[in-house]
């Protein structure tokens, strides 16, 4: 519901999006570090990878950050 439109708006192919909500549900403030750790452990994120992290909350609350590992 949220992941695909956010990826499309950011010109990122949905195959390049890593998420864990389908396996672990919404983990509130732990969502980004939890998913990032899984992505690193699985090899999806490695040295030199540029990562965009986005979190959305209730109402108009949201944040995002781009980082290179």
């Amino acid at each position: 519901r949220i992941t695909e439109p956010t990826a499309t708006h950011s010109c990122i192919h949905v195959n390049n999006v890593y998420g864990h909500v389908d396996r672990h549900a919404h983990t509130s403030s732990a969502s980004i570090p939890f998913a990032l750790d899984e992505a690193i452990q699985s090899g999806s994120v490695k040295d030199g990878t540029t990562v965009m992290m986005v979190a959305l909350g209730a109402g108009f609350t949201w944040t995002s950050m781009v980082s290179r590992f």
Side-chain angles (χ1 to χ4, degrees):
R1 230 171 46 188
I2 295 171
T3 305
E4 289 181 23
T6 302
T8 301
H9 181 73
S10 303
C11 300
I12 298 171
H13 193 278
V14 75
N15 289 344
N16 293 329
V17 174
Y18 188 90
H20 71 98
V21 175
D22 59 329
R23 293 180 307 284
H24 303 290
H26 177 61
T27 53
S28 197
S29 63
S31 293
I32 288 178
F34 191 12
L36 182 58
D37 180 63
E38 281 189 356
I40 291 169
Q41 296 298 321
S42 73
S44 296
V45 172
K46 43 193 164 283
D47 287 346
T49 302
T50 301
V51 177
M52 180 172 73
M53 296 168 266
V54 178
L56 306 168
F60 294 109
T61 305
W62 65 277
T63 190
S64 63
M65 178 174 81
V66 175
S67 182
R68 179 164 294 164
F69 286 81

